[in-house]
Amino acid sequence: MLFRSRTMDTAAGEDIINGNRLADGSSDAQKRRIAYYYDPEIGNYNYGKHHCWKPHRVRIVHNLLVAYDICKEMDMFKPTMIDYKDIMRFHSDDYVNFLRVINPDNAASMVKQQIQFNVGDDSPVFDGLFDYICSYCSGSIGGACRLNEGLSDIVINWSGGLHHAKKSEASGFCYVNDIVLAILELLKKYTRVLYIDIDIHHGDGVEEAFYTTNRVMTVSFHKFGDFFPGTGDISDVGYGEGKGYSLNFPLRAGIDDAAFVSIFKPVIAKVMERYQPEAIVLQCGADSLSGDRLGCFNLSLKGHAECVNFVRAFNKPTLVLGGGGYTVRNVSRCWTYETAVILGKEVKNELPFTDYLEYFGPDYSLQITPSNMENMNTKNYLDEHLHMLLDQLQSLEAVPGLQIESAFHPKTPDRVKLEQPEEGNPDEHEEVTKKEAEGEFA
Ligand code: MN
């Protein structure tokens, strides 16, 4: 008996060491099976020397994870490459065919299409563009398949999370929307999928794709007001069958950990209660961190990761993706730390040696210190918007069930259904445009 009891004690101790418990010391003892997708080629793609989107940051994260010696805690995969047909499940054929052929040598002869598809400025043409697209999409779609098959509880793809891409248009450094493709894959198995976005920018491409269905709830927290992409007001709630199933928390500059967590947790807790998603996709854009080159929030890694940990605690099949993040050293820190949090592993604040150690001077530490910038989100402002979202959630029919199966039948290719909001009488479109134009010039 004594032997048996000691064995159990040892097992309990190992549970903690092996990440069966949450890093925050909570009593959540369930073991998670974590998968991590990484393409060793990803860091070689280059948007251009002066472009702020750096695929290289994902390689730095990977090197830090290896150096911290926590990779053995998860199943690591090099993704199986998808092909263009997989991308056409959401994106239009003409846009995908354009992405397949455009390159720096023929770009000058395809100016008209570049304008049509919004490729060339923010989202530039570079060597290996289509291979890059396939690379970051493969981890997200492969990860979704793995969750569908029940082989993992959480799948991580830091190269994914390109939430701005539209059906027939690049936007904000995003060409193909790996998130939409991954969610379409999850919808083959799960009735309700929750999308959460903590990037500083509105998750507009994902919201738009699922704006008219209640099978996907999108929840985005973002800077709003004179900020890219300009959408995502609190009044944008979805349409038709999807009315109420898009949630937007518009924020002002300077939000800190305490304020962000104070709205994130009650919103997500209420989402879980009312919507009861069967799977979750979490976009962890790191441009919401303090000191981001494009962002204006004031989060530390701790605040950002607390959101990840909060989502993790609900124990749903979860796909964790990257996204924006333009101060490379902090993005690398953030996703490294969040990998550890997902694994339930403590990691030292002193960064281990990697080829990239020089990025992290002068302190060479993992954690970052927020700045003293003013938080423009007053308590009243946050409370007011929090309660609007809680009211929106409360007024939803609790847990959409069978009736949505008919609107989005599993045997029907998802693509057909998704295209519906885009279709309709072209004359109506023209009329609206004409009216708008008249208003403009009146
Ligand atoms: Mn967001």
Side-chain angles (χ1 to χ4, degrees):
M1 284 306 287
L2 182 65
F3 176 73
R4 193 175 163 192
S5 156
R6 285 175 68 148
T7 307
M8 286 172 73
D9 284 345
T10 308
E14 277 171 4
D15 275 356
I16 295 165
I17 294 162
N18 292 333
N20 297 4
R21 303 266 171 99
L22 286 175
D24 65 4
S26 77
S27 59
D28 184 353
Q30 183 166 335
K31 176 77 177 172
R32 267 72 159 192
R33 297 163 302 161
I34 317 289
Y36 166 89
Y37 281 77
Y38 176 71
D39 176 5
E41 287 296 320
I42 197 78
N44 295 327
Y45 298 107
N46 195 338
Y47 278 50
K49 197 175 172 188
H50 300 290
H51 199 288
C52 57
W53 182 276
K54 308 281 187 196
H56 175 53
R57 59 210 171 126
V58 176
R59 175 162 54 198
I60 303 176
V61 172
H62 182 76
N63 277 260
L64 284 167
L65 295 174
V66 170
Y68 267 125
D69 198 26
I70 54 174
C71 291
K72 61 180 183 296
E73 310 294 333
M74 52 193 183
D75 297 315
M76 301 182 58
F77 299 101
K78 185 178 165 185
T80 305
M81 286 301 138
I82 57 154
D83 73 11
Y84 70 93
K85 293 192 197 77
D86 300 306
I87 295 172
M88 288 175 178
R89 292 193 60 234
F90 171 58
H91 293 278
S92 65
D93 292 9
D94 58 344
Y95 177 46
V96 176
N97 286 329
F98 162 79
L99 291 172
R100 290 170 69 197
V101 301
I102 188 81
N103 64 51
D105 295 330
N106 66 19
S109 66
M110 299 180 77
V111 172
K112 207 179 144 197
Q113 283 134 301
Q114 287 186 68
I115 293 165
Q116 180 191 346
F117 298 124
N118 196 30
V119 167
D121 295 323
D122 276 0
S123 312
V125 176
F126 59 87
D127 268 328
L129 171 59
F130 196 70
D131 292 335
Y132 171 68
I133 290 167
C134 288
S135 173
Y136 73 75
C137 288
S138 294
S140 302
I141 296 171
C145 290
R146 210 175 152 76
L147 293 172
N148 282 353
E149 285 159 20
L151 297 169
S152 299
D153 301 310
I154 304 175
V155 178
I156 301 169
N157 174 29
W158 294 126
S159 71
L162 283 79
H163 59 177
H164 296 306
K166 307 294 185 341
K167 179 181 165 180
S168 298
E169 201 179 303
S171 175
F173 324 145
C174 307
Y175 304 87
V176 163
N177 201 313
D178 62 298
I179 307 168
V180 171
L181 294 170
I183 291 173
L184 289 176
E185 197 63 39
L186 291 169
L187 288 172
K188 290 178 181 173
K189 171 157 182 200
Y190 301 108
T191 305
R192 293 175 306 282
V193 176
L194 170 63
Y195 173 68
I196 305 171
D197 185 317
I198 59 170
D199 190 288
I200 195 172
H201 300 96
H202 178 224
D204 58 342
V206 186
E207 179 184 273
E208 184 178 295
F210 301 110
Y211 206 61
T212 61
T213 178
N214 53 18
R215 286 200 59 193
V216 180
M217 175 175 278
T218 61
V219 186
S220 180
F221 300 81
H222 46 265
K223 169 77 164 66
F224 184 79
D226 195 22
F227 200 71
F228 185 87
T231 48
D233 204 351
I234 197 158
S235 55
D236 298 328
V237 298
Y239 185 79
E241 289 286 301
K243 190 171 179 186
Y245 294 86
S246 294
L247 288 100
N248 286 295
F249 205 126
L251 293 162
R252 309 297 182 221
I255 193 162
D256 57 23
D257 289 350
F260 197 89
V261 167
S262 80
I263 54 154
F264 183 85
K265 287 186 175 178
V267 168
I268 297 305
K270 188 74 175 172
V271 163
M272 300 304 291
E273 174 203 320
R274 298 295 296 172
Y275 190 60
Q276 296 185 25
E278 296 175 331
I280 302 174
V281 177
L282 175 58
Q283 197 267 21
C284 299
D287 44 10
S288 42
L289 293 175
S290 184
D292 187 77
R293 185 171 156 188
L294 297 187
C296 55
F297 282 177
N298 199 19
L299 299 183
S300 77
L301 268 54
K302 292 266 169 78
H304 201 269
E306 193 169 338
C307 299
V308 177
N309 203 9
F310 189 73
V311 173
R312 176 192 192 269
F314 288 95
N315 274 321
K316 301 287 178 190
T318 301
L319 180 62
V320 177
L321 304 172
Y326 306 98
T327 298
V328 168
R329 59 185 184 279
N330 290 347
V331 181
S332 310
R333 287 170 157 126
C334 182
W335 294 342
T336 300
Y337 180 59
E338 286 175 351
T339 306
V341 165
I342 289 164
L343 292 169
K345 299 292 288 185
E346 304 261 7
V347 285
K348 278 192 213 146
N349 191 38
E350 182 192 340
L351 285 165
F353 178 81
T354 61
D355 290 346
Y356 311 105
L357 193 64
E358 79 224 55
Y359 284 58
F360 302 105
D363 54 305
Y364 304 99
S365 62
L366 177 62
Q367 298 299 332
I368 63 168
T369 309
S371 77
N372 60 0
M373 77 186 292
E374 188 182 354
N375 180 1
M376 302 304 286
N377 302 271
T378 62
K379 185 159 189 327
N380 277 346
Y381 174 87
L382 293 172
D383 281 349
E384 185 191 330
H385 287 76
L386 171 61
H387 285 106
M388 288 167 78
L389 289 182
L390 295 181
D391 287 348
Q392 181 184 332
L393 286 161
Q394 187 61 38
S395 65
L396 289 178
E397 174 214 352
V399 195
L402 281 177
Q403 86 287 356
I404 59 177
E405 292 290 329
S406 58
F408 219 110
H409 197 279
K411 280 182 186 153
T412 312
D414 322 24
R415 180 154 59 102
V416 176
K417 290 295 173 191
L418 268 175
E419 280 171 358
Q420 276 189 346
E422 303 281 330
E423 289 167 2
N425 188 349
D427 292 336
E428 283 173 16
H429 276 281
E430 224 162 77
E431 204 175 15
V432 171
T433 314
K434 223 194 273 171
K435 268 189 207 151
E436 278 173 0
E438 278 165 12
E440 187 99 7
F441 297 109

